[in-house]
Amino acid sequence: MRRNITKKVILQFIPLIIGALLVSSIVANIAIKVFLEKKVMEDLTNEAAIIRNVITTEIGNEKNIDREKFKDVIMRSHKLDKVGLDSRLEVITKTANNVVVSQSKDSQFNSQMLTELTNRIQKGKESFIIENDKDDFKYYITVLPINKLINNNRKVRYWVILYTTTKEVSNLTNTILRINILIMIIIGFISIVIGVFFARSLTKPIIKLKNRANRISKRDFDSIEMINTGDEIEELSESLEHMVNELKNYDESQKRFLQNASHELKTPLTSISGYAEGLKDGVFDNTEEALDTIIDESLRLKKLVEQIIFLSKLETTHEFFEMKVVDLKELIGDAVKKVYGLSAKKSVNVKLDIEDRVNIYADEDKLIQGFINILSNCIRHAESNIDIAVRQEQELCHIIISDDGEGFSKEDLEHLFDRFYKGANGSTGLGMTITKSIINKHGGQIRVSNNENGGAKFIVTFKTI
């Protein structure tokens, strides 16, 4: 079962949208996570600076500091300005035995973490990340060192630890991710709707073209389907309409051809039939004359049928031509020889002016036939001379055939190559049609005009090799 273009476009469009959204979501999630981690460390550093300022202001000048007052100042300072995520605060101290312990009853730091904290502090680091194997969380930590004399002038090293866990970051990241997913679902839905409209706008003119093609197949050449899309589809529509005009003209020419062919065939058949019936009924006293007429009309009919068949093959069968490299001088010379009898009978001199060898790619026999038709036409109308000249122009050669007859009438110039058009002294009306078809099949052109001093002029142009 065939799928229409709309479905194909949508089915290709949806995976593209989904893929783009997934990639965007993954990239956005990673970027947000990196940003939040950086932001957490900045917030902890800022909060540590606030605590440092409070401690310096309230107890920085005191020689002996009560432990409870110290804790109270720290806890109050922790509540002064909460920056970013929810952070926690602990105070750790190094005892006389150089053991680091936490002052908080609900400390999140086990002995292993405190040892790692000590190592990081000793290396002079104030912001870092450590892991807790117990709950599989990472801790973002900022350390604030405080040195004071407390209780009986005994030296103690204190550190204020600000920290938050990856749980906080993960919760925020997940919240943002859910919001992103919701936004992407909405964007995806809108994209699909837009894709449907886009597919329909794309397929609508194509469906019109399909319907137009179906009507053309039924020989409906008159109904025009205008498409104004401003793109290649409009160009396709214009090409289709151009093809329709060509088909219409060809169809009309075929009808005229059949009408003319039937008329031309009917004339000799009627004559043959009439003379045959007259002979049967004994109407003619001179039977020889009647038989000669029947023979002449039969030959005329035979020639007409052969030319119709020859023209049909020219126009429909490409394999009908056997192309090879030929010398134009020899080819035209052979054509002149073949019409010598007709030219001698009419006392017409054919002058050939070709000096250099000119090679073209052609079917020699058929092209000779084309030049014979042209020369025969000139001989019928010439007074005494026919001139043939070849002129080369870059990759082109022009064969100019002129006679000194009466030239073409205006009607002749318009219809000379039409099928069954017969000018003065014409025979079947197919000779020049066949000639033009032969020349066109060789990639050439033929033009006709009148000479300035009178007489007809044929100009045949080919590409040289």
Side-chain angles (χ1 to χ4, degrees), residues 85 161-162 175 223 234 253 279 364 378:
L85 296 171
I161 308 298
L162 285 171
T175 301
S223 59
E234 183 175 342
S253 67
L279 288 173
E364 186 174 8
C378 291

Side-chain angles (χ1 to χ4, degrees), residues 104-118:
S104 301
K105 296 181 180 179
D106 56 347
S107 175
Q108 300 293 316
F109 300 120
N110 55 32
S111 59
Q112 180 182 353
M113 294 176 66
L114 289 173
T115 301
E116 188 172 350
L117 269 171
T118 304

Side-chain angles (χ1 to χ4, degrees), residues 245-260:
N245 291 331
E246 293 294 324
L247 287 174
K248 185 178 180 180
N249 294 334
Y250 180 78
D251 191 60
E252 291 175 352
S253 67
Q254 287 296 99
K255 290 179 181 178
R256 289 195 300 270
F257 174 78
L258 292 174
Q259 292 171 355
N260 294 332

Side-chain angles (χ1 to χ4, degrees), residues 413-437:
L413 291 174
E414 293 177 356
H415 303 288
L416 183 64
F417 299 109
D418 292 349
R419 296 175 180 179
F420 298 107
Y421 175 76
K422 289 187 287 186
N425 302 322
S427 177
T428 62
L430 290 175
M432 297 312 298
T433 305
I434 290 173
T435 299
K436 183 177 181 180
S437 181

Side-chain angles (χ1 to χ4, degrees), residues 355-366:
E355 296 181 356
D356 301 326
R357 178 184 178 90
V358 179
N359 291 333
I360 64 171
Y361 199 58
D363 185 317
E364 186 174 8
D365 293 336
K366 294 180 179 60

Side-chain angles (χ1 to χ4, degrees), residues 239-298:
S239 300
L240 184 63
E241 293 304 325
H242 177 72
M243 181 193 72
V244 169
N245 291 331
E246 293 294 324
L247 287 174
K248 185 178 180 180
N249 294 334
Y250 180 78
D251 191 60
E252 291 175 352
S253 67
Q254 287 296 99
K255 290 179 181 178
R256 289 195 300 270
F257 174 78
L258 292 174
Q259 292 171 355
N260 294 332
S262 62
H263 174 75
E264 293 295 328
L265 292 172
K266 183 179 179 181
T267 301
L269 286 174
T270 301
S271 179
I272 292 170
S273 177
Y275 275 95
E277 290 178 359
L279 288 173
K280 180 180 179 181
D281 297 336
V283 174
F284 300 107
D285 295 331
N286 188 351
T287 57
E288 291 295 328
E289 182 179 351
L291 290 172
D292 287 339
T293 301
I294 290 175
I295 292 172
D296 290 341
E297 291 298 318
S298 297

